[in-house]
Each structure stands twice: as C-alpha cells, then as structure tokens.
Amino acid sequence: GAMYVGGEIAGQVAITGPPLFAAPGLGYSLFGGFEGRGIAFEAASLARTYTRDRIRPASLVSYIHRDNARSIALARRLGATHDPAGKTHDADDVVYRYAVAA
C-alpha cells in the first residue's frame, strides 16, 4: 500500500508473489525527499510482521538491486540476511531473506 506523510504519498510497501518470483517478496520504495526519516522501515516492519503472523509463508525475501546500498541496509535493519543461493528473476538482484515462523 501507499505510505503517506502529511497527506502526501511518500512511497509504497507491498508483499508480492508474481509467478517469476521464487518466494513472496517484501518490496518497498520511497519517493524523493522522504528518505532518512524511518518511513520505509516503519511501513516495511508492519508488512513483514503482518505477513509472518497472518499469511505465514514458508519463505519471505526482498529482491534488491545489488548496487542499492540503502535498500540493502533497510533489509538488514528489518532482520534479513543475504542469501547468496537465493534465486532471482533479474541477474542484477540479490536476495535478502527474513526469518519466518516455523
């Protein structure tokens, strides 16, 4: 869903599962000017927790462009670890995997 700050759309967060993805993905993006405020962390934390508690997938990952240091830092802050064996649909992406309920 969309993230709003003061009535403005700041970005979006979503749990997706397109056919090309090997596992459900936690995706997030911010529009310019909204970075560095903790907005994406808060929204992605809520989405991650809801997905773990309600949807209970066998796996949950973020597919991130290998050069996107800010997004990788956010995934790590959210508790994800790099999964070098994770399959991607884009050769430039890396997989960060979140712990899910057993």
Side-chain angles (χ1 to χ4, degrees):
M3 295 180 266
Y4 291 89
V5 174
E8 290 185 70
I9 297 177
Q12 62 185 3
V13 64
I15 303 297
T16 59
L20 294 176
F21 288 20
L26 169 58
Y28 39 82
S29 64
L30 284 176
F31 300 135
F34 291 99
E35 301 93 340
R37 299 191 208 176
I39 298 165
F41 176 76
E42 184 176 340
S45 292
L46 292 169
R48 182 205 57 212
T49 299
Y50 178 86
T51 301
R52 283 180 181 166
D53 294 350
R54 303 293 182 153
I55 299 171
R56 299 178 183 240
S59 182
L60 180 64
V61 301
S62 286
Y63 300 98
I64 305 170
H65 189 279
R66 66 176 173 233
D67 297 332
N68 190 338
R70 289 187 83 146
S71 190
I72 289 170
L74 177 56
R76 288 180 176 156
R77 187 171 171 214
L78 290 164
T81 57
H82 181 233
D83 179 356
K87 296 185 189 302
T88 66
H89 65 280
D90 185 326
D92 290 331
D93 286 349
V94 291
V95 175
Y96 276 78
R97 192 170 303 279
Y98 302 91
V100 292

